[in-house]
Amino acid sequence: MTIKLNGKEITVAPGEMLIEAARRAGIDIPSLCYAKDARHKSSCMICAVKDCRTGQILPSCATVPAEGMEVDAECPEVIQTRTLSLELLLSDHRADCEAPCRVACPGNFDVAMMNRLNEQGMHVEALELMRNTLVIPATLCYICNAPCEKICRKGTVGTPVAIREVKKRLVAQTDLNAIVRPAPNGQKAAVEGSGPASLSAAYHLCKQGFEVSIFEKDSAVLKNYIEAEKVPEDILQLEIEVIRRMGVNMQCGKAQMPDPSDFDLVVSPQTKSKQPARMVLEGYRMVTKNTESTESTDKPFNSTFSRFNDSEKKSLLAQGGSSGCLYCDCAGKAGCRLRRLATEYHIKNPRYAKNSISEALHRQKIKDGLWFEPAKCIKCGLCVYNSDDGFTFKDRGFKMKITLPEENSANIDARLADLCPTGAIYKINA
Ligand code: SF4
Ligand code: SF4
Ligand code: SF4
Ligand code: FES
């Protein structure tokens, strides 16, 4: 059978749903409550298309095409329907994609991940995460006014996480002898200056395999750029030594940059910011193609909710590992289609007020490494229809929710995490 989609003829195999025929023809209609070969019932309307003859908006995941049908999958009405559906789904979504501490950090540092690694005893990995983002993490702790700690959600139910103290303790565990020089790429780079941005650029070029030299006018690295009296000398020296051992050659007291023709790459960081963590981030961006920028034009959508309510406060007070961290970021974000679509459809501030009955950060352990967070569920039902004696619907209407009775946990297969279109069911090693 042939039909017309976006003005072009496409073929439809017998019994094939419209969404699959379109995808086979290279037109990627989005979906949330539908997954190929899984049992589903259409509910989200993200796969909306327009029947050009009747003007009707149809869910393509539940439409069996008829001969001669003409469908539009990109007209303004379709985009409007999908956008509205996303906004409605997000109005019932009490969750943060990124933890507020990371959003507030001028260096975009993943504090929650550091805390996770630290509390699992993975100190080397936590240190590496810090260095790869902040380059001079402990030094920054003394000169940054720590917006991360001011905004920390734990602060609204108890004492905020002492993020800077965690970082300083981790840096104190540095094993200088374990630092490995990255494999060389055969190219040389010169970096002007030794401020936070220059050190960051040098560090990341070094990681890319360049033989890097820093040329600094002053007699010592960093001194001219930060309020050095605030940073203990041993900390400063330790962090500079780490960069040196990575292979960065530091030439101080050089009034002039060397001849650029002696290098494959010359970097002169000019930063707009005076905030040291921000300068580090800018240095990184100068020498890498950063796709996860917090300010790029395709900045990922970030779901967030305002404050904990009283019942959340009660249950969260007791939570948190030794650092007290609540791990506010979404552990299932890597596979979240809801976030990806909200980004693609440019949802900034959903038009509808948050109206969720679910508790933020309430996490149910299904089994080792598999978790369920009801506040991130869009009630698509995929987990219900595709587990036997597993997830179930509870209540009706606005109060309807998805639950997993504890005795059913054993029946849950980890593959449901891949089927779930959001971060509500996720795999994590913690
Ligand atoms: S489930 Fe998706 S949209 Fe919700 S917080 Fe997680 S990443 Fe963000
Ligand atoms: S509780 Fe943890 S993840 Fe949440 S804002 Fe504080 S440090 Fe960040
Ligand atoms: S938990 Fe189940 S109902 Fe909720 S979004 Fe995931 S698959 Fe859909
Ligand atoms: S209604 Fe088709 S994907 Fe949800």
Side-chain angles (χ1 to χ4, degrees):
M1 181 204 305
T2 54
I3 61 164
K4 261 193 180 172
L5 179 60
N6 296 347
K8 279 195 210 133
E9 286 209 336
I10 65 162
T11 58
V12 181
E16 197 173 36
M17 286 295 166
L18 180 53
I19 193 167
E20 284 306 329
R23 286 177 177 181
R24 217 168 26 77
I27 294 167
D28 189 19
I29 297 180
S31 64
L32 286 174
C33 71
Y34 166 82
K36 194 172 184 224
D37 301 329
R39 291 187 289 258
H40 94 290
K41 283 189 187 152
S42 56
S43 59
C44 71
M45 284 308 279
I46 296 300
C47 64
V49 293
K50 184 173 148 184
D51 182 329
C52 301
R53 292 192 178 158
T54 63
Q56 244 188 325
I57 298 290
L58 306 167
S60 60
C61 72
T63 300
V64 182
E67 182 68 52
M69 196 175 187
E70 281 182 37
V71 177
D72 196 326
E74 55 188 19
C75 64
E77 293 107 298
V78 162
I79 304 300
Q80 224 171 35
T81 306
R82 293 180 189 166
T83 306
L84 177 67
S85 304
L86 284 167
E87 288 182 311
L88 288 170
L89 290 172
L90 288 163
S91 72
D92 185 23
H93 205 75
R94 235 176 124 59
D96 294 331
C97 299
E98 301 295 347
C101 50
R102 183 176 189 179
V103 176
C105 172
N108 189 31
F109 178 55
D110 192 347
V111 179
M113 183 53 83
M114 171 191 73
N115 286 338
R116 274 193 196 97
L117 293 169
N118 185 30
E119 281 165 31
Q120 288 169 49
M122 298 170 76
H123 301 139
V124 175
E125 289 80 359
L127 250 173
E128 192 166 332
L129 178 78
M130 283 199 297
R131 292 230 164 84
N132 284 344
T133 315
L134 299 173
V135 183
I136 43 171
T139 302
L140 293 178
C141 288
Y142 292 93
I143 52 178
C144 178
N145 58 358
C148 57
E149 290 181 13
K150 293 190 182 84
I151 205 156
C152 174
R153 282 208 185 278
K154 189 61 191 267
T156 64
V157 292
T159 315
V161 176
I163 298 168
R164 286 173 296 178
E165 287 311 309
V166 176
K167 284 194 216 152
K168 287 182 202 167
R169 277 203 296 274
L170 279 164
V171 170
Q173 297 179 40
T174 302
D175 177 0
L176 283 174
N177 295 323
I179 291 169
V180 183
R181 287 176 81 132
N185 69 5
Q187 298 187 66
K188 286 165 74 178
V191 177
E192 187 176 6
S194 70
S198 295
L199 281 187
S200 172
Y203 175 90
H204 289 288
L205 286 171
C206 188
K207 290 211 75 159
Q208 291 167 31
F210 282 89
E211 186 187 324
V212 186
S213 298
I214 276 179
F215 294 89
E216 167 56 56
K217 285 193 216 125
D218 202 46
S219 59
V221 170
L222 258 183
K223 291 248 159 138
N224 208 21
Y225 303 86
I226 60 172
E227 296 169 72
E229 70 279 4
K230 287 190 181 168
V231 187
E233 190 62 21
D234 55 335
I235 301 287
L236 198 58
Q237 290 314 323
L238 173 69
E239 299 212 300
I240 292 171
E241 186 58 22
V242 170
I243 300 171
R244 207 190 298 274
R245 290 199 185 203
M246 291 272 299
V248 176
N249 169 23
M250 301 185 184
Q251 301 211 23
C252 297
K254 299 277 170 188
Q256 290 211 320
M257 280 290 278
D259 185 347
S261 63
D262 292 339
F263 295 88
D264 298 288
L265 185 70
V266 176
V267 183
S268 300
Q270 309 286 335
T271 59
K272 289 188 208 118
S273 178
K274 295 258 179 290
Q275 216 292 345
R278 180 76 201 179
M279 290 161 86
V280 168
L281 180 64
E282 288 183 17
Y284 166 67
R285 287 185 182 157
M286 263 169 234
V287 296
T288 49
K289 288 191 181 68
N290 181 22
T291 49
E292 213 196 325
S293 148
T294 48
E295 284 183 3
S296 73
T297 44
D298 46 3
K299 182 178 166 185
F301 170 78
N302 192 39
S303 165
T304 191
F305 62 96
S306 57
R307 292 192 190 133
F308 292 131
N309 57 37
D310 288 345
S311 92
E312 286 166 342
K313 280 186 184 167
K314 240 186 236 164
S315 43
L316 287 169
L317 205 52
Q319 273 188 38
S322 57
S323 72
C325 183
L326 299 170
Y327 309 119
C328 308
D329 63 330
C330 179
K333 68 185 165 202
C336 178
R337 297 211 297 275
L338 178 61
R339 185 184 197 196
R340 217 168 56 220
L341 287 172
T343 306
E344 208 178 299
Y345 283 77
H346 310 291
I347 310 283
K348 295 279 181 246
N349 300 306
R351 264 180 293 173
Y352 305 99
K354 295 265 176 211
N355 189 22
S356 175
I357 51 166
S358 300
E359 273 194 11
L361 295 186
H362 168 68
R363 296 173 178 128
Q364 183 180 345
K365 186 173 181 176
I366 302 174
K367 50 175 74 164
D368 274 348
L370 193 62
W371 293 80
F372 173 46
E373 266 189 67
K376 294 174 184 166
C377 170
I378 57 166
K379 303 171 184 82
C380 70
L382 277 172
C383 59
V384 178
Y385 309 129
N386 294 283
S387 64
D388 294 324
D389 295 325
F391 286 89
T392 68
F393 291 106
K394 195 173 173 217
D395 298 329
R396 296 168 76 94
F398 285 122
K399 284 168 117 193
M400 194 268 276
K401 53 185 173 192
I402 302 288
T403 60
L404 176 64
E406 238 170 271
E407 64 277 17
N408 290 5
S409 289
N411 306 332
I412 299 302
D413 189 313
R415 277 175 300 185
L416 278 190
D418 302 326
L419 201 56
C420 175
T422 72
I425 305 175
Y426 58 91
K427 293 180 249 186
I428 192 172
N429 301 321

